[in-house]
Amino acid sequence: MAVSSLAREVSDLCIGKPAVRSLPLSATLGDALIALRKGGEDHLAVWACDRTRSDRKACVGTVCMVDIVCYLCSEENILAPGAALAAPVSVILPPKAAAPLVRRVEPSSSILEALDAILEGAQSLVVPLRPAASRRKPAAGGGAVLEFCWLTQEDLVRFFLNSIALFSPAPALSVTDLGLVHPAALAVRPHDPALSALPLIRAALVDQTSVAVVSDDGRLLGEISPSTLAHCDQRVGAALAALSAGDLMAYVDCFGAPPESAIGAIKARLQEKGLLSMLELLEADFSPPFLSSASSSSSSSDEESSPAAALQRPRRLRSAGRSGSYSARMGRRSEEAIVCHPESSLVAVMIQALTHRVSYVWVVDDNYFLVGIVAFSDILGVFREQLD
């Protein structure tokens, strides 16, 4: 019965999904930043060329706010983040020789095929929406504009939870018995500079996990989650450059509206560190009305709408766009990391993660000492093994 369930088409998981928003490969990081602020999405798809001309053009990757912030805060760009925004989005995409993090699957593909694609290393799957699901108007030439949607690890885990009885008794076993608890290799101390966590944040973004913030004796205090940072605006780059890991957690917990006292503290620390150029990220206005020509056809002029011009505009007292578009996962504070115990059952961990919209759960003992982490990729591996 489980095998027959997995023979269902991928299109069954795409019902009601919105079309992905995208950028051309020619777009700059500044264009991507503005597009993210405008739309409120976590990620944008990057296409090799104009995907409206053929349904076989490749999605070469994704870009999110964390990608941009990590690039701006890198050693080679931290002294001139404004200039770095003029770089093409290709600089943050994986090299061509690397395994693709985004793969295309057809609507008629089986769920088993989608599962194998994820387990082979794809972060997300892009699925063409069938004509009835597409809401876009026909292109100027008369042909229909092909749209796509995302299929993620979360979608597959939710599918398996809905079919959980077919895999008994494995879902009732503990995550420890199933060998799903792995050491939490991505961890920092609260007093460590947040900038030192930059490589860990990058790794967590690829792994779709998080960076644990632990005390000196190994207790879990909270986390720096890429899925949470993705809902911040560009100012989090300045915070990352200026603050400690513990203070960065407090900044992120302001949910996009940090008090002026916090902004003042960041400015002071940036001045102490000689990172005055990072002040541009605090003062710039990248709000949605000012779209660049690469991301909107309604721009008034290239000069007024470019990312460089945005850096010259003073920030409004109340940020527009992403500061008011947080998802359910942003209702949770950074110190409220989602945890389970080593004896927690697989099904309980799945419910926890899906409820809180995270793709991992920290494992702690009774005294909150960090034991490890359980990730969606490991959970999906269990169901694949059950089928084998």
Side-chain angles (χ1 to χ4, degrees):
M1 289 182 64
V3 174
S4 62
S5 178
L6 286 177
R8 292 171 56 186
E9 292 186 350
V10 162
S11 59
D12 294 337
L13 301 186
C14 298
I15 297 174
K17 278 185 168 288
V20 303
R21 295 185 66 247
S22 60
L23 287 171
L25 193 58
S26 59
T28 67
L29 291 180
D31 296 327
L33 176 57
I34 294 173
L36 286 165
R37 290 293 309 275
K38 175 178 181 288
E41 287 89 349
D42 293 353
H43 294 75
L44 298 172
V46 181
W47 296 85
C49 55
D50 186 1
R51 67 184 177 90
T52 64
R53 298 179 184 175
S54 169
D55 65 350
R56 299 307 305 177
K57 301 304 180 183
C59 177
V60 295
T62 64
V63 58
C64 70
M65 189 65 70
V66 184
D67 292 312
I68 297 173
V69 165
C70 287
Y71 184 77
L72 297 181
C73 292
S74 62
E75 185 176 354
E76 60 270 23
N77 295 316
I78 195 168
L79 295 179
L85 287 173
V89 293
S90 58
V91 299
I92 60 175
L93 298 178
K96 292 183 178 180
L101 297 180
V102 179
R103 287 178 55 178
R104 170 174 171 156
V105 296
E106 299 304 318
S108 58
S109 301
S110 70
I111 292 175
L112 183 58
E113 290 174 303
L115 173 62
D116 285 340
I118 290 289
L119 293 178
E120 288 168 4
Q123 284 184 338
S124 303
L125 306 177
V126 63
V127 185
L129 289 172
R130 286 174 168 164
S134 180
R135 300 178 182 178
R136 289 279 296 278
K137 295 180 179 179
V145 177
L146 186 63
E147 294 186 310
F148 296 80
C149 71
W150 292 122
L151 196 65
T152 65
Q153 291 183 0
E154 179 180 334
D155 295 315
L156 291 174
V157 171
R158 194 177 301 279
F159 169 80
F160 284 115
L161 181 61
N162 292 333
S163 309
I164 202 72
L166 301 178
F167 296 90
S168 181
L173 300 178
S174 73
V175 289
T176 299
D177 291 339
L178 290 169
L180 299 182
V181 182
H182 297 287
L186 307 179
V188 294
R189 302 291 189 267
H191 46 74
D192 291 340
L195 203 56
S196 68
L198 200 60
L200 306 184
I201 294 172
R202 283 198 184 104
L205 180 63
V206 173
D207 295 342
Q208 300 186 64
T209 56
S210 186
V211 179
V213 179
V214 298
S215 63
D216 291 334
D217 60 358
R219 286 183 170 87
L220 181 64
L221 302 176
E223 64 178 349
I224 301 173
S225 168
S227 63
T228 302
L229 294 177
H231 290 82
C232 297
D233 58 27
Q234 78 285 346
R235 290 177 293 172
V236 76
L240 198 155
L243 303 176
S244 67
D247 288 339
L248 179 63
M249 285 199 307
Y251 174 88
V252 173
D253 287 343
C254 295
F255 301 131
E260 290 302 321
S261 58
I263 297 297
I266 292 173
K267 289 181 178 179
R269 295 189 190 183
L270 288 175
Q271 290 172 345
E272 291 173 4
K273 294 184 176 185
L275 298 175
L276 298 181
S277 59
M278 294 298 289
L279 293 174
E280 295 176 341
L281 299 182
L282 290 175
E283 300 296 340
D285 182 9
F286 287 93
S287 52
F290 303 99
L291 295 177
S292 73
S293 57
S295 57
S296 172
S297 60
S298 61
S299 304
S300 59
S301 72
D302 288 347
E303 291 185 0
E304 292 179 359
S305 61
S306 68
L311 288 169
Q312 304 302 318
R313 289 191 296 268
R315 182 177 58 84
R316 298 172 179 176
L317 291 178
R318 192 172 184 84
S319 295
R322 295 187 64 79
S323 63
S325 61
Y326 294 92
S327 72
R329 62 171 64 96
M330 282 301 293
R332 179 172 54 83
R333 298 175 67 85
S334 296
E335 69 266 21
E336 296 173 349
I338 306 306
V339 301
C340 70
H341 293 283
E343 300 78 20
S344 297
S345 68
L346 172 60
V347 65
V349 171
M350 292 171 67
I351 292 172
Q352 252 187 313
L354 291 171
T355 299
H356 294 282
R357 301 296 308 280
V358 294
S359 55
Y360 57 89
V361 174
W362 300 107
V363 184
V364 297
D365 65 14
D366 291 338
N367 295 314
Y368 236 70
F369 285 101
L370 183 59
V371 176
I373 189 171
V374 176
F376 270 175
S377 56
D378 301 314
I379 291 174
L380 291 173
V382 169
F383 290 101
R384 190 64 180 90
E385 290 175 5
Q386 291 294 305
L387 293 170
D388 290 337

